Amino acid sequence: MAGLKLGSVNKVYPSGTMSLFDMNFGVNEGEFIVVLGGDGSGKSTLLKVIAGLEDASSGTVEIDGKDVTDAEPKDRNVAMVFRSNTLYPALNVFDNMAFGLKLRKAPAALIEQRVKAAAEILGLTEVLYRKPKTLTAAQRQRVAVGRAIVREPKLYLFDEPLAGLDDKLAAELLNVIVNLQARMQGAFVYATKNVSEALTIGTRIIVLKNGFIQQIDTPANLYDYPANAYVAFYIGSPTINFINKAEIVRDENGVYACEGALKIKLADSIVKRFSNIDEYAGTGKKVVIGIRPEDASTGADGFEAVCVKTEGESGVAFAECEADGHELTVKCGGTLNRGDATKISVDGERIYLFDGETRLTLLERDGGYAKTDFAEADYRPLSFAEEESIKEKFTPKKQEKKKR
């Protein structure tokens, strides 16, 4: 199905700085895919390359089955909404929304029909003939969205459109965008650094870090089957706990992940997924243990800890504890005060394990993984060292000052 397809797209600026590395993925028509990453991850650059506002250094961009790698933005059949779209202050809402259609010399009747239909969907009918300065921030952003959808392009790109709005207005506009996607034809690509937004609206999520794709999958699969430690860290709230420099120990009673006084027994289901366990068990090879706060709790069993702080999140009480030099956030299994001694028990079925050097997962997928038809789900990210090596290659070198 036609939509968007990127083939080995790279973006390196004239300074030598790399912004995107080997972007390979497709978005089907009717799909809502989210590009998730922090500042400097490359998500805005990615959208600009797709839209033609930035040139790809190499690779191909296809939209609706056509190679548009060298096409001008106006010839790509793309609409893009930025985080702070600028409206034309001298034009009213109607004319701002109609601007793109008028440039393309669309018939007046078609312009009238599409603008008024979009205004009704976006709740702008009552302000159609007002100037932007009289609108609220949320209304101005809705006008920007309307300006994009009246053209009815094949691809819609949203670059952090909710940035700068308060929580209530952001939630309202997000709901509008989701409803739009259900009504409009074409593919939607939405960039954000807000994990909650991504998990709420994305049919699939592309996790980016420093211009590298980390994983592309459904929200549930990203949470339960992260490809590396970074994805596990980024997806989920509260943030996952990591115990570094741990080792795998095996004895007659089972298999354990250990670091100092912390000893966690691995459930049989985890051991079965640990396909190369012999490389780690008893060899001293280091692993990173990942424990989500919701998968551990204070109580009478487990390893010893001391409560540092308690707090509530989404109606659930969590405790920050110190255990043998490690700070861990876990569910609060009872009444705890700062300084109280307690114990932490961990659900051995819900452990995450990553290689101590590569940071890649050590656990194979099992029957709980919801397999999709997208090839990108099988993408294996680069190791931490490989990413660092590529980044070093594309880091501009400071020129030494010439000695006089």
Side-chain angles (χ1 to χ4, degrees), residues 268-320:
D268 289 344
S269 59
I270 296 296
V271 175
K272 289 177 181 177
R273 293 174 58 198
F274 200 155
S275 60
N276 57 340
I277 192 170
D278 289 339
E279 290 183 26
Y280 294 84
T283 66
K285 195 171 183 179
K286 302 300 181 183
V287 301
V288 177
I289 306 171
I291 305 169
R292 295 202 183 275
E294 54 269 38
D295 298 328
S297 63
T298 61
D301 299 319
F303 49 80
E304 295 182 352
V306 175
C307 177
V308 176
K309 180 183 177 183
T310 58
E311 59 184 26
E313 182 164 323
S314 301
V316 179
F318 288 94
E320 293 183 16

Side-chain angles (χ1 to χ4, degrees), residues 335-399:
T335 302
L336 275 180
N337 296 308
R338 182 176 179 179
D340 286 351
T342 185
K343 290 189 176 182
I344 295 176
S345 61
V346 178
D347 184 351
E349 299 269 359
R350 297 288 304 166
I351 290 290
Y352 299 81
L353 295 171
F354 307 94
D355 181 87
E357 292 187 3
T358 68
R359 316 284 175 88
L360 299 177
T361 183
L362 295 171
L363 304 180
E364 300 290 337
R365 297 166 178 170
D366 59 10
Y369 180 81
K371 181 68 175 174
T372 67
D373 295 330
F374 297 98
E376 292 94 338
D378 295 322
Y379 172 77
R380 187 171 178 81
L382 299 174
S383 70
F384 179 77
E386 288 171 329
E387 284 189 2
E388 291 298 302
S389 176
I390 293 170
K391 283 166 56 180
E392 174 66 22
K393 178 181 176 182
F394 287 100
T395 299
K397 302 294 187 293
K398 292 183 180 180
Q399 293 182 351

Side-chain angles (χ1 to χ4, degrees), residues 33-268:
I33 197 165
V34 176
V35 182
L36 177 63
D39 292 334
S41 62
K43 58 186 184 297
S44 293
T45 301
L46 175 61
L47 264 60
K48 289 176 181 177
V49 167
I50 293 170
L53 301 177
E54 296 267 11
D55 293 328
S57 301
S58 60
T60 57
V61 178
E62 293 182 14
I63 297 174
D64 196 28
K66 300 175 182 176
D67 188 337
V68 298
T69 308
D70 299 318
E72 293 295 320
K74 63 182 179 64
D75 299 322
R76 296 196 179 203
N77 205 6
V78 168
M80 187 165 181
V81 178
F82 296 95
R83 67 190 74 183
S84 56
N85 269 71
T86 302
L87 303 179
Y88 298 106
L91 302 181
N92 61 28
V93 170
F94 183 100
D95 290 332
N96 263 285
M97 291 173 63
F99 191 80
L101 290 174
K102 289 181 177 179
L103 278 182
R104 289 166 176 76
K105 302 187 183 305
L110 178 64
I111 293 174
E112 180 93 4
Q113 174 192 343
R114 288 192 181 179
V115 170
K116 289 189 173 179
E120 185 175 351
I121 293 171
L122 294 167
L124 294 171
T125 302
E126 298 299 320
V127 298
L128 261 181
Y129 300 101
R130 291 187 191 175
K131 296 292 180 64
K133 67 180 181 180
T134 68
L135 306 179
T136 66
Q139 287 173 327
R140 287 194 291 271
Q141 196 65 344
R142 287 185 185 217
V143 175
V145 173
R147 188 166 59 187
I149 69 172
V150 294
R151 288 175 40 212
E152 298 185 4
K154 289 294 184 180
L155 182 62
Y156 299 83
L157 306 176
F158 293 84
D159 186 12
E160 297 193 67
L162 309 186
L165 300 180
D166 63 38
D167 291 345
K168 182 176 182 297
L169 294 178
E172 290 177 0
L173 184 55
L174 184 63
N175 188 53
V176 167
I177 293 172
V178 171
N179 288 333
L180 271 178
Q181 191 268 337
R183 293 172 180 240
M184 310 298 291
Q185 293 183 338
F188 278 58
V189 182
Y190 184 103
T192 182
K193 57 186 172 188
N194 187 305
V195 177
S196 178
E197 279 180 37
L199 296 178
T200 299
I201 63 179
T203 52
R204 288 189 299 148
I205 299 173
I206 301 171
V207 182
L208 279 187
K209 183 189 76 166
N210 297 329
F212 296 93
I213 291 177
Q214 305 297 305
Q215 191 170 351
I216 305 177
D217 218 323
T218 65
N221 286 341
L222 291 175
Y223 180 87
D224 290 324
Y225 299 89
N228 59 21
Y230 182 81
V231 175
F233 168 80
Y234 210 65
I235 303 295
S237 178
T239 304
I240 193 171
N241 302 292
F242 286 132
I243 300 173
N244 297 309
K245 299 181 180 179
E247 297 182 11
I248 302 299
V249 176
R250 181 165 46 192
D251 62 23
E252 64 275 8
N253 296 315
V255 181
Y256 301 83
C258 306
E259 204 292 304
L262 278 59
K263 187 175 183 180
I264 304 167
K265 186 173 182 178
L266 305 183
D268 289 344

